């Protein structure tokens, strides 16, 4: 290495070490200000995880100001949010006002958020583990876009996750790891802040090397950064081997406690354990207490040189896991203390740290406070010339055209699940640009959720060709699936977390990669709950996708309670960023799918959930298209009521035949009876809530759609509601105008049986509807 290059490297290391100190201070001060200086009106602890920020600041300094390229994307561990804000404060992307309002209304968020933070955030994090796994799926999306000609290979980047070691306890990480192995994931880095301390405990010592084994088995390169350069230098001296062996066998809890106790404690313990060896004793005695403490805490994750070498050594596309040993609370007064996870420096401690760094009172927010003029300018120049300094915002992307209408499958009797497959199949053959942007995915239920025809037409996505062996051998099969780069279906294993993380990554393709994809994921309706955290995660960062879940309710009767859904409509109503529809008829489904493709692209849009069924029912005959606008608002009168009538039945989904029979049985006794088809309990409830909120704030508000629908009834009317799902999905309708309501639905686990038996058992048949009406309208008990 030439002298000039050595000087350049030395200068870079010095600059990054200075940046590390700045990031650690700014993160700590931001948290301190929120907890100790800002007025508290409710007396609650604000929090902010100073120790977790300190453990990863060196890693983030080396990554953001050296290793990151312009196309790399990063998911930052939740508790390192203040460090990310400090980085963008130095880059000029974050304001002082935002830092001052950290964890306050409208200020910098507790955890990195795509939708709520003002700084660039590639992936939201917060629910631990999910931000890690999403980077793996994002790398698969990047490969999909490259294979389909929507992204140049030269414009690709690494998908990087910064994680705390406690996140490795999350099962979804290993589900994703296995899926990534099957799909030959590449260009993915996972960097572990291995501080070995979580909220309640230190990491089990026996886990050392187990992570290496797991990841290496799945084809990952594992780089363990255990020692810093000072430690490695000491190991090369007489007595150094004994010191290294001691470090390697020291229990995690002991190492943390000694770190907190400081140099004299290190000396006493080392002399007790290895001081009998003359060379080791002499080596220890060569360091004073402060220097010994510095040596023992010079771990790989706090050594800039070690980190730069590791990042520079992984410049190929092989997925890589960096295990960087760190100290929880490194550089702070409570470094190593077992209670420091949620701990906060008190005013005396933060003042001591400020003085140690040479920051004058009043200069705490100065980006380069505590540095001399020349040093500050040199560091400012270093930041200004870093790869990220000139990085623009998120890429622009074009909208995907949507047909004026989608084809309605023919047939006097149909299920919405079968109709979904037919609509998608016809769209795949149409040659419309929308069809080329659709990408489907499913957790091993592709066939049973009626995606098979689409896959036959468009193929499986594989970076390497996968031949259909059965087809080549001329073995009859309805599924003729071959895998290739032009395929548009990503088949997943049975793991609903992976499904929703895949949908999240696909649904972020436009803002992250510059190309809008139209993801459709299918799943068994009762198993939405298995991936609910990941579903919420995708919606929270405004990923756009279409979730198609089937079969709904009891309609897969012989399968029994484990395959029958109850509370999924409540998920659809309660999940922000997701609009839930439950069509009863095929023409409603076609209308809603078309709406979904447009809504997924609207500035104020979001994702859509369709709750479908395997049950075939008679289709209704339409005389006009007047019902369509109301159906897309959440409901329409299938049988309009007489003005001021005293009764109506409201229903949702595949229970339509029983409701229609009950309606016919009641019509003679209750003339003018109305029949309301609620196509989206979610939209009806959302509109009603918004109107009430506006009125509560003193703003003028037009009546909501549900208020308009129910205004046709007498104020004293009664409602019977029916859904093959939780009865509370519709029971709230009575509160709109203060009407008596008798809700029917499922509030117990299902069981095996055919539909007539099940509907009778769970009070969903026509007789139950008549009885409910009698209770309300005729005074029967």
């Amino acid at each position: 290495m030439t002298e000039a290059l050595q000087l350049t490297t030395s200068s870079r290391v010095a600059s990054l070490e200075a940046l590390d100190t700045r990031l650690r201070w700014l993160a700590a001060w931001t948290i301190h200000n929120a907890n100790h200086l800002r007025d508290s009106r409710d007396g609650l602890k604000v929090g902010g995880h100073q120790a977790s920020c300190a453990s990863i600041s060196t890693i983030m300094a080396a990554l953001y100001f050296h290793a990151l390229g312009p196309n790399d994307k990063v998911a930052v561990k939740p508790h390192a949010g203040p460090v990310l804000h400090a980085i963008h404060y130095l880059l000029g992307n974050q304001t002082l006002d935002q830092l001052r309002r950290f964890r306050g209304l409208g200020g910098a968020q507790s955890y990195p958020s795509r939708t709520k933070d003002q700084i660039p955030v590639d992936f939201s994090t917060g629910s631990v583990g999910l931000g890690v796994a999403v980077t793996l799926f994002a790398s698969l999306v990047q490969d999909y876009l490259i294979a389909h000609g929507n992204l140049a290979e030269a414009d690709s980047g690494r998908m990087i996750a910064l994680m705390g070691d406690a996140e490795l306890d999350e099962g979804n990480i290993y589900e994703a790891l296995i899926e990534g192995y099957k799909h030959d994931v590449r260009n993915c880095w996972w960097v572990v802040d291995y501080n070995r301390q979580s909220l309640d405990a230190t990491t089990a010592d026996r886990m050392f090397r187990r992570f290496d084994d797991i990841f290496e088995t799945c084809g990952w390169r594992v780089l363990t950064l255990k020692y810093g350069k000072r430690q490695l230098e000491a190991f090369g001296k007489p007595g150094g081997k004994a010191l290294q062996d001691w470090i390697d066998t020291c229990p995690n809890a002991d190492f943390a406690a000694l770190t907190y106790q400081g140099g004299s404690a290190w000396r006493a313990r080392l002399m007790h354990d290895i001081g009998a060896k003359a060379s080791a004793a002499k080596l220890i005695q060569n360091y004073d207490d402060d220097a010994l403490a510095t040596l023992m805490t010079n771990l790989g994750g706090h050594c800039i040189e070690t980190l730069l070498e590791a990042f520079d050594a992984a410049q190929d596309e092989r997925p890589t896991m960096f295990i960087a040993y760190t100290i929880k609370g490194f550089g702070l007064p409570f470094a190593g203390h077992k209670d420091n996870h949620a701990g906060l420096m008190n005013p005396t401690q933060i003042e001591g740290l400020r003085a140690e760094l040479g920051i004058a009172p009043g200069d705490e927010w100065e980006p380069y406070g505590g540095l001399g003029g020349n040093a500050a300018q040199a560091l400012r120049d270093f930041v200004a010339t870093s790869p990220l300094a000139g990085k623009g915002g998120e890429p622009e992307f074009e909208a995907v055209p949507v047909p004026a209408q989608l084809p309605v499958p023919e047939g006097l009797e149909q299920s919405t699940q079968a109709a979904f497959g037919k609509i998608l199949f016809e769209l795949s053959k149409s040659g419309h640009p929308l069809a080329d942007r659709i990408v489907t995915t499913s957790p091993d239920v592709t066939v049973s959720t009626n995606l098979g025809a689409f896959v036959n037409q468009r193929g499986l996505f594989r970076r390497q060709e996968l031949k259909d062996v059965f087809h080549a051998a001329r073995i009859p099969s309805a599924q003729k699936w071959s895998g290739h780069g032009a395929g548009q279906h990503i088949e997943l294993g049975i793991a609903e977390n992976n499904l929703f993380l895949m949908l999240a990554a696909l649904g972020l393709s436009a803002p992250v990669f510059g190309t809008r994809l139209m993801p459709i994921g299918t799943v068994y309706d009762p198993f939405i709950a298995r991936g609910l955290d990941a579903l919420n995660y995708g919606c929270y960062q405004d990923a756009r996708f279409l979730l198609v879940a089937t079969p709904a309710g009891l309609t897969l009767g012989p399968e029994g309670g484990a395959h029958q859904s109850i509370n999924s409509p409540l998920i659809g109503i309660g999940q922000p960023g997701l609009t839930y529809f439950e069509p009863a008829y095929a023409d409603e489904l076609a209308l809603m799918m078309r709406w979904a493709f447009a809504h997924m692209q609207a500035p104020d849009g979001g994702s859509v959930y369709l709750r479908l069924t395997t049950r075939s029912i008679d289709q209704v005959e339409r005389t006009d298209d007047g019902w369509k606008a109301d159906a897309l608002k959440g409901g329409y009168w299938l049988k309009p009521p007489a003005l001021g009538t005293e009764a109506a039945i409201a229903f949702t989904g595949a229970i339509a035949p029983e409701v229609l029979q009950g309606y016919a049985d009641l019509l003679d006794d209750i003339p003018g009876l109305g029949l309301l088809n609620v196509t989206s309990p979610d939209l009806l409830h959302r509109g009603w809530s918004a109107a009430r909120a506006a009125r509560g704030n003193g703003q003028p508000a037009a009546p909501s759609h549900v208020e308009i629908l129910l205004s046709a009834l007498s104020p004293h009317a009664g409602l019977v509601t029916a859904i093959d799902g939780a009865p509370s999905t519709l029971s709230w309708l009575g509160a709109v105008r203060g009407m008596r309501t008798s809700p029917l639905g499922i509030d117990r686990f299902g069981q095996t049986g055919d539909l007539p038996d099940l509907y009778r058992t769970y009070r969903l048949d026509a007789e139950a509807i008549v009885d409910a009406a009698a209770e309300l309208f005729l005074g029967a008990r």
Side-chain angles (χ1 to χ4, degrees), residues 110 193 203 349 398 426 460 518 548 619 718:
S110 308
D193 171 12
T203 302
Q349 290 173 321
E398 296 180 352
E426 291 301 321
L460 296 166
M518 306 299 277
V548 178
Q619 302 298 290

Side-chain angles (χ1 to χ4, degrees), residues 340-684:
N340 67 13
H341 178 85
L344 296 169
M345 284 185 282
N346 59 41
T348 300
Q349 290 173 321
I350 198 81
E351 280 300 305
L353 181 61
R354 181 190 60 74
E356 178 185 329
L357 298 178
I359 299 172
D363 288 347
E364 292 88 354
W365 292 109
E366 286 298 314
Y368 302 99
L371 299 175
N374 290 337
Q377 186 58 48
L379 196 56
R380 190 178 291 109
D381 292 342
F382 180 82
V383 170
T385 56
S386 65
L388 292 186
K391 183 177 179 180
E394 292 185 336
E396 296 182 357
F397 52 90
E398 296 180 352
V400 179
V402 177
Q405 59 185 23
L406 296 182
V408 178
E410 296 181 358
L412 298 178
E413 183 181 297
Q414 297 188 63
S415 72
T416 48
Q417 176 180 310
F420 161 73
K422 293 175 183 176
I423 293 169
L424 201 57
F425 177 59
E426 291 301 321
L427 187 56
S428 73
K429 297 190 301 178
S430 68
H432 194 280
L434 172 63
D436 294 333
R437 294 295 182 88
I438 290 174
V439 52
T440 59
T441 186
S442 186
D444 200 39
V445 290
T446 300
V447 174
S448 53
T449 56
N450 284 64
L451 281 178
F454 178 85
V455 181
N456 280 346
Q457 188 73 19
R458 293 284 174 154
L460 296 166
F461 171 69
R462 289 287 191 277
R463 284 200 295 122
Q464 287 78 36
E465 186 175 357
L466 178 68
K467 294 183 178 180
D468 186 337
V469 175
F470 279 70
H471 179 68
R474 298 185 178 181
I475 299 173
S477 171
Q479 317 308 326
K480 300 175 178 62
W481 297 356
S482 59
H484 45 78
Q488 290 180 234
H489 177 75
I490 300 175
E491 182 63 14
L492 303 173
I494 309 174
E496 280 74 14
N497 263 299
N498 283 347
L499 168 71
F500 289 118
L501 288 170
M502 184 82 255
L503 287 174
L506 289 165
L508 289 173
S509 64
V512 172
F513 297 112
T515 297
R516 170 75 73 189
L517 294 175
M518 306 299 277
I520 300 175
T522 63
V523 66
Y524 280 8
D525 194 61
F527 299 147
I528 288 177
R530 292 175 61 176
L532 193 53
D533 193 18
L535 170 61
N536 180 69
Y537 171 74
C539 292
Y540 177 70
Q541 55 187 329
D542 198 26
R544 305 293 180 87
F545 52 84
L546 174 59
L547 172 64
V548 178
T550 183
L554 298 172
T555 57
L556 203 61
E559 291 282 345
H563 283 147
Q564 296 166 356
S565 61
I566 297 173
N567 66 343
S568 55
L570 301 181
I571 295 171
I573 292 176
Q575 177 61 58
L578 185 72
T579 300
Y580 149 57
F581 284 99
E582 187 166 348
Y585 303 109
D587 56 358
E588 294 174 357
L589 173 62
L591 183 73
M592 292 162 192
M593 286 180 65
R594 194 268 170 204
W595 183 92
F597 290 133
H599 184 69
M600 289 159 62
Q601 304 184 73
D604 60 347
S607 294
V608 179
Y609 158 38
L610 299 177
R611 188 173 188 251
L612 308 183
T613 177
T614 55
R615 185 193 189 195
S616 291
I617 64 174
D618 292 336
Q619 302 298 290
V620 292
E621 184 178 348
R622 309 288 189 184
T623 57
D624 56 50
D625 291 338
W627 59 277
K628 291 184 176 180
D630 280 358
L632 290 176
K633 295 176 184 177
Y636 67 96
W637 288 108
L638 187 61
K639 304 288 185 180
L643 186 62
T645 190
E646 296 292 326
I649 303 171
F651 78 98
T652 292
I655 202 73
E658 284 68 30
V659 172
L660 284 166
Q661 182 60 56
Y663 171 86
D665 293 344
L666 287 167
L667 198 55
D668 287 341
D669 294 325
I670 311 175
L673 178 68
L675 181 57
L676 179 64
N677 184 355
V678 180
T679 53
S680 176
D682 180 23
L683 284 179
L684 286 188

Side-chain angles (χ1 to χ4, degrees), residues 200-395:
D200 293 332
T202 53
T203 302
D205 298 287
R206 66 184 301 179
M207 288 308 298
F208 178 69
R209 279 291 305 166
R210 297 290 74 76
F211 297 128
D212 305 48
D213 294 343
I214 293 168
F215 279 79
E216 287 169 354
T217 298
C218 289
W220 286 56
R221 170 174 48 212
V222 179
L223 299 178
T224 300
L225 317 181
K226 189 169 186 179
Y227 316 112
K229 293 297 184 180
R230 289 180 180 175
Q231 286 189 347
L232 290 173
E233 181 183 0
F235 297 160
K237 298 177 179 179
K241 182 62 167 61
L243 180 63
Q244 182 178 6
D245 291 343
W246 184 90
I247 290 175
D248 286 346
T249 57
C250 179
N252 290 335
D254 287 15
F255 197 94
L258 289 167
T259 297
Y260 177 72
Q261 291 172 294
S264 61
W266 281 116
R267 184 178 307 280
R269 177 66 177 270
L270 290 170
M271 291 300 294
H272 177 273
D273 290 353
I274 61 175
K277 299 179 180 180
S279 59
K282 184 177 179 180
L283 178 63
I284 296 167
Q285 291 164 0
N286 284 339
Y287 298 88
D288 62 25
D289 283 354
D290 288 343
L292 184 59
T294 298
L295 173 68
M296 297 305 291
T297 57
N298 178 234
L299 302 181
H302 296 304
C303 178
I304 289 291
E305 291 180 79
T306 299
L307 288 162
L308 297 191
E309 288 177 1
F311 291 151
D312 290 346
Q315 292 303 307
D316 54 22
E317 64 180 31
R318 185 179 177 187
T320 302
M321 181 185 191
F322 302 87
I323 302 179
Y325 276 69
T326 60
I327 302 284
K328 192 75 165 275
F330 181 76
L332 304 183
F334 48 40
H337 195 288
K338 71 173 185 176
D339 297 335
N340 67 13
H341 178 85
L344 296 169
M345 284 185 282
N346 59 41
T348 300
Q349 290 173 321
I350 198 81
E351 280 300 305
L353 181 61
R354 181 190 60 74
E356 178 185 329
L357 298 178
I359 299 172
D363 288 347
E364 292 88 354
W365 292 109
E366 286 298 314
Y368 302 99
L371 299 175
N374 290 337
Q377 186 58 48
L379 196 56
R380 190 178 291 109
D381 292 342
F382 180 82
V383 170
T385 56
S386 65
L388 292 186
K391 183 177 179 180
E394 292 185 336

Side-chain angles (χ1 to χ4, degrees), residues 15-16 18-19 22-23 64-65 86-92 367-368 376-390:
S15 295
L16 290 169
L19 279 173
R22 296 307 307 151
L23 296 178
Y64 274 82
F65 295 101
I87 286 171
H88 284 288
Y89 187 53
L90 297 182
L91 288 168
Y368 302 99
Q377 186 58 48
L379 196 56
R380 190 178 291 109
D381 292 342
F382 180 82
V383 170
T385 56
S386 65
L388 292 186

